[in-house]
Amino acid sequence: MDKVKKTKLAIVIAVPVIIALVWIFREPVLWIGRHLGPCVFHEVTGYHCPGCGNTRAVTALLHLHPIISFRNNPIIILLGLTGLGFYTELVFDVCGKKVRFMPRQTAFWIGAIIILMIFYVLRNFFPILAPIS
């Protein structure tokens, strides 16, 4: 087995182990989240930065509330789904099949980032888009 295949296999094994460990030891993660201070940018300007709501989103996800997580900051769920897509491709690759679920076009990813940036600006003007306090 070559070095690249071993590395891919190690990643396929490590990802579920890391996720399981985070789940098993979620209380320390939640404890850290409870002791983080408020967003300095929000405190100074009154506007939500792109990271506002991330701690609450992760906390909601660790409590198995994906909709609340998405509502606080969609990037956590979107990154998770993106990671899941690439991980699934990697699992198929390790099993000997080349399958592509995720888009590879640069224009797609630039468009997704632009849409997210527009969302992050709009949530400062439309309270329904703002993180849950």
Side-chain angles (χ1 to χ4, degrees):
M1 187 181 303
D2 66 337
K3 188 176 181 179
V4 173
K5 185 110 174 162
K6 285 181 183 178
T7 302
K8 289 179 179 180
L9 183 59
I11 293 170
V12 166
I13 293 168
V15 168
V17 169
I18 291 168
I19 291 171
L21 287 172
V22 168
W23 179 255
I24 291 166
F25 298 107
R26 68 185 177 274
E27 283 308 316
V29 175
L30 294 170
W31 181 87
I32 291 169
R34 285 190 297 270
H35 291 85
L36 290 175
C39 175
V40 176
F41 182 83
H42 182 66
E43 291 290 312
V44 172
T45 65
Y47 293 110
H48 297 290
C49 74
C52 279
N54 275 344
T55 303
R56 287 170 280 183
V58 170
T59 300
L61 205 51
L62 288 173
H63 283 108
L64 301 177
H65 299 294
I67 294 171
I68 294 172
S69 177
F70 189 83
R71 175 72 170 79
N72 278 306
N73 198 330
I75 198 70
I76 300 299
I77 298 290
L78 295 176
L79 285 174
L81 292 173
T82 302
L84 179 63
F86 283 116
Y87 178 78
T88 304
E89 287 182 3
L90 185 62
V91 169
F92 275 104
D93 187 35
V94 168
C95 294
K97 291 189 174 236
K98 285 285 186 188
V99 177
R100 298 286 181 214
F101 295 115
M102 302 303 293
R104 297 294 195 272
Q105 299 83 8
T106 305
F108 171 84
W109 295 105
I110 290 172
I113 290 169
I114 289 170
I115 290 169
L116 273 172
M117 291 300 113
I118 291 170
F119 167 79
Y120 286 131
V121 170
L122 291 177
R123 75 179 183 165
N124 285 298
F125 301 102
F126 299 100
I128 189 124
L129 300 176
I132 301 168
S133 296

